[in-house]
Amino acid sequence: MLTNLHVKNLALIDEAEVEFGPGLNILTGETGAGKSILIGSINAALGKKISREMIRTGETSALVELVFETENPHVLELLKEMDLEAEEGQVIISRKITGSRSVCRINGEACNISQVKALASLLLDIHGQHEHQSLLYPDRQIAILDAFAGTEAATAKGEVRALYQEWKNVRKELSAYELDEEARKREAAFLTFEINEIDQAELKEGEDEALETAYRKMGHAKKIAESLQTVYAITGYGAENSAGEQVGRAIRELQQAGPSQTLSDIDGLLNDFNREISAYLSELTFSEEEYYETEKRLDEINRLKAKYGKTMEEITAYREEQQKKLEKLENFESCRAALQEQLQKTEQKLDAAAHNLSKIRRNYAKRLETQIIEGLRDLNFLHVAFEISFEKTKSYTENGTDAVEFLISTNPGEAIRPLAKVVSGGELSRIMLAIKTILADRDETETLIFDEIDTGISGRTAQKVSEKMAQIGQRHQVICITHLPQIAAMADSHFEIEKNVEENETVTSIHPLSEEDSVRELARMLGGAKITDSVLANASEMKELAQVQKSARLK
């Protein structure tokens, strides 16, 4: 269950910490006090998108932290897959939001949003207005039926899903054989060309790396030789304007005036230098033909890489794949016949598995219909009729061949029709509550959060809803935001959300209520701004009656 919620610098919340208890946790407060911020902060921690504008004015970051205590084996198994541990069953999920990014952590370890969402789906279920509406969609309705059918349906669905995937794969493979004779010939010719081109290259493992190393060495040697030849031409003798020729000419001119020792020394040094260059060039072995052949071979390999794969291994794998395709084309008729036979056998298995799943669903549908009718009557649908209709889908799906739809009539003499065409928002929330109550025994999610469950209801209906909420609270931790005193009176733990002005700043806070404070909050909900002694007495009586009902009826 969710034991602790810590929120800092989010919207109107400066800093708030709430310790939830088991059973039914009720949150109440004036309109606009910030009840939606609380649900929003929980959603934010669990990976829902949140605007950076939600960071409290004047602050650079916001933080939301949730602490769970769980014994759910699926949660512990998922944590293990994530290489995380839950010491004594404790799971801490946090999210820090800054102006540029957000960081999620599970038990102190950084993680991504998808990991948080996967874990959150096992830890709690947030039931808000959006989920009321999801009840109108057929895929949600069939999911509810399957959840009610439990492990029997889950096992059958797993078999259908596996066979459906196999059936899809065989169909996809078979579709490749839908070619006319000319197309097959063109495809075979193209495959043969590619295979031959790779074969003719006679590629050897590691050849490209060895050639690249040799090519670099030869290229380096070529550059050195070219540089030395250029230097020799500049400093040697023979060229008209070389350094050697110019020094020799200078010595000849100076002989008439007298010998120059300095020029003679330079001339000797140049001679020595050029002899060294000449000797080095004669020792520098470099084969232009070998360089050309290496370059040509590398160009060929790189051309194949550009067409068939980035590495030699990928080229080889591509060639083997094309060879398989060619063999299939060469044995076209026999391969197609084998696939058609495989498809027929897989389809027969899939059809049998889908039929079995449908049979399980229809069996449980009758029980679910009865229980939903009973639950709706408890919620003041006095003349309700409810059915689950089945139709067969046009083709196989991973969910079988059932198209399921919930049908309802809420008034005497009214024809039974699809849910979407009959109910209002308030009725929809009550129908969902009835379903949640029925599924409570089968649902392993330990914490259920209800927001706007009391939309459009009052009076006796509100009382019935409160009893259902308390009933769910016997098996799950329930956190409920409400504006109805009938629901609030059933609280095992009651919290008030307030909005106050502190030092010219608006601040939302949340705090637990004592028994006496809870009665006063009920009185506010009953009587509005002015709380009289009679309203307090009514609130106190409502609280006492609620506790009596919980003890007598629910336990």
Side-chain angles (χ1 to χ4, degrees):
M1 69 175 188
L2 177 61
T3 59
N4 183 276
L5 165 66
H6 180 214
V7 185
K8 187 174 183 179
N9 297 333
L10 191 70
L12 296 178
I13 298 176
D14 177 24
E15 188 163 17
E17 188 151 356
V18 190
E19 292 188 3
F20 295 108
L24 183 57
N25 294 261
I26 295 292
L27 296 98
T28 59
E30 296 276 7
T31 301
K35 297 188 291 293
S36 60
I37 297 174
L38 195 71
I39 294 296
S41 65
I42 294 174
N43 272 319
L46 300 179
K48 192 172 182 180
K49 286 185 179 179
I50 184 168
S51 170
R52 302 299 188 263
E53 294 176 0
M54 290 294 289
I55 299 173
R56 185 171 170 78
T57 303
E59 301 294 339
T60 58
S61 65
L63 175 69
V64 184
E65 186 176 76
L66 308 177
V67 181
F68 295 87
E69 289 181 1
T70 181
E71 295 178 357
N72 188 333
H74 298 300
V75 172
L76 302 178
E77 184 178 338
L78 182 57
L79 285 171
K80 190 175 181 180
E81 289 175 10
M82 296 178 182
D83 292 326
L84 297 170
E85 291 185 4
E87 291 186 13
E88 298 180 353
Q90 189 176 79
V91 179
I92 302 173
I93 298 175
S94 67
R95 186 178 183 188
K96 185 177 182 180
I97 304 125
T98 65
S100 58
R101 65 193 188 102
S102 66
V103 178
C104 297
R105 296 184 185 277
I106 299 174
N107 286 359
E109 298 291 333
C111 58
N112 56 46
I113 293 289
S114 61
Q115 288 176 309
V116 172
K117 287 182 176 180
L119 190 60
S121 67
L122 299 175
L123 288 167
L124 56 73
D125 176 13
I126 299 181
H127 178 82
Q129 188 68 28
H130 176 72
E131 192 183 358
H132 301 342
Q133 299 301 320
S134 74
L135 186 56
L136 301 176
Y137 302 117
D139 58 343
R140 178 61 175 148
Q141 294 172 5
I142 199 168
I144 288 169
L145 174 57
D146 288 345
F148 180 75
T151 55
E152 193 173 349
T155 302
K157 274 178 74 175
E159 185 180 355
V160 167
R161 193 174 292 112
L163 286 167
Y164 174 74
Q165 193 58 50
E166 182 183 343
W167 177 76
K168 263 183 67 177
N169 292 341
V170 176
R171 282 190 71 193
K172 183 179 179 181
E173 195 173 350
L174 191 57
S175 67
Y177 285 82
E178 295 174 2
L179 297 171
D180 58 32
E181 185 66 25
E182 285 302 315
R184 289 208 308 273
K185 286 180 180 178
R186 286 195 299 272
E187 179 70 9
F190 178 68
L191 292 171
T192 301
F193 168 79
E194 290 192 323
I195 291 166
N196 287 341
E197 185 175 37
I198 294 171
D199 287 347
Q200 286 167 9
E202 296 181 345
L203 301 175
K204 299 177 181 64
E205 186 179 348
E207 180 186 8
D208 54 340
E209 295 175 359
L211 285 170
E212 284 170 4
T213 301
Y215 184 72
R216 281 195 299 270
K217 285 181 178 179
M218 284 188 283
H220 185 59
K222 185 179 181 183
K223 285 181 181 178
I224 292 172
E226 289 172 350
S227 297
L228 288 175
Q229 285 168 351
T230 301
V231 170
Y232 187 80
I234 293 170
T235 62
Y237 294 87
E240 184 178 347
N241 293 314
S242 68
E245 288 295 332
Q246 295 293 336
V247 170
R249 186 181 303 162
I251 290 172
R252 287 193 295 275
E253 290 292 334
L254 283 172
Q255 281 177 348
Q256 298 175 7
S260 170
Q261 186 61 44
T262 303
L263 278 175
S264 296
D265 290 344
I266 291 172
D267 186 47
L269 288 170
L270 278 173
N271 278 316
D272 292 343
F273 178 69
N274 285 310
R275 278 195 297 273
E276 287 177 11
I277 290 178
S278 179
Y280 190 82
L281 279 169
S282 64
E283 293 174 3
L284 191 63
T285 57
F286 176 78
S287 169
E288 285 284 354
E289 184 180 354
E290 184 183 356
Y291 181 76
Y292 170 75
E293 290 299 328
T294 302
E295 187 176 47
K296 183 180 176 183
R297 179 61 172 168
L298 273 175
D299 286 343
E300 182 182 14
I301 290 173
N302 288 330
R303 182 178 61 81
L304 293 176
K305 283 182 177 180
K307 291 178 71 174
Y308 305 126
K310 295 178 181 178
T311 65
M312 303 284 267
E313 291 77 10
E314 287 183 15
I315 294 173
T316 303
Y318 181 86
R319 189 252 182 237
E320 290 173 357
E321 186 64 30
Q322 300 306 82
Q323 182 65 45
K324 290 177 184 177
K325 291 179 182 178
L326 181 60
E327 288 171 2
K328 286 180 180 179
L329 286 175
E330 290 172 345
N331 302 285
F332 185 85
E333 294 302 334
S334 60
C335 287
R336 182 167 64 177
L339 278 173
Q340 286 172 335
E341 184 181 356
Q342 185 181 351
L343 181 66
Q344 185 179 11
K345 289 180 179 178
T346 305
E347 193 166 308
Q348 287 173 349
K349 291 178 183 177
L350 177 57
D351 191 69
H355 179 75
N356 178 55
L357 176 58
S358 182
K359 186 178 177 182
I360 292 168
R361 284 176 174 151
R362 289 170 188 271
N363 181 31
Y364 278 94
K366 293 299 178 186
R367 302 185 216 175
L368 183 57
E369 285 173 355
T370 302
Q371 291 190 32
I372 286 177
I373 289 170
E374 290 174 358
L376 291 176
R377 284 175 180 163
D378 284 345
L379 290 170
N380 220 29
F381 284 92
L382 301 180
H383 304 285
V384 69
F386 182 87
E387 290 180 11
I388 300 175
S389 75
F390 282 81
E391 288 187 8
K392 194 165 185 176
T393 56
K394 293 180 181 178
S395 181
Y396 296 107
T397 73
E398 65 174 2
N399 216 17
T401 53
D402 290 324
V404 167
E405 189 166 32
F406 288 180
L407 308 175
I408 196 168
S409 168
T410 57
N411 297 303
E414 185 180 77
I416 196 163
R417 290 188 295 164
L419 215 56
K421 297 180 179 179
V422 178
V423 297
S424 64
E427 289 174 324
L428 201 57
S429 67
R430 279 187 285 158
I431 294 168
M432 183 60 93
L433 180 58
I435 291 169
K436 287 284 184 184
T437 308
I438 293 164
L439 296 179
D441 289 340
R442 291 171 165 79
D443 194 350
E444 293 183 351
T445 307
E446 296 171 58
T447 299
L448 304 176
I449 298 179
F450 290 94
D451 186 22
E452 300 182 14
I453 194 68
D454 49 19
T455 301
I457 62 172
S458 59
R460 178 171 172 76
T461 302
Q463 182 60 38
K464 293 290 187 180
V465 168
S466 73
E467 292 172 9
K468 284 290 180 187
M469 296 290 288
Q471 185 179 338
I472 297 175
Q474 300 302 300
R475 296 178 177 85
H476 298 264
Q477 180 194 43
V478 177
I479 298 171
C480 176
I481 295 176
T482 184
H483 67 273
L484 292 178
Q486 294 94 328
I487 295 177
M490 287 285 186
D492 294 308
S493 300
H494 192 171
F495 301 87
E496 182 183 17
I497 301 173
E498 285 187 304
K499 185 165 70 175
N500 298 299
V501 177
E502 299 176 2
E503 298 179 358
N504 295 322
E505 288 189 339
T506 304
V507 177
T508 290
S509 60
I510 177 169
H511 55 271
L513 297 178
S514 64
E515 192 75 15
E516 183 180 344
D517 290 335
S518 179
V519 170
R520 182 167 291 278
E521 174 65 2
L522 290 178
R524 181 197 64 78
M525 298 170 78
L526 283 167
K530 189 174 182 180
I531 301 174
T532 64
D533 289 341
S534 61
V535 174
L536 274 171
N538 275 345
S540 181
E541 184 180 11
M542 179 179 281
K543 185 77 174 176
E544 289 172 6
L545 286 172
Q547 300 309 310
V548 169
Q549 284 177 328
K550 283 170 68 176
S551 299
R553 181 175 176 179
L554 301 175
K555 294 182 180 177

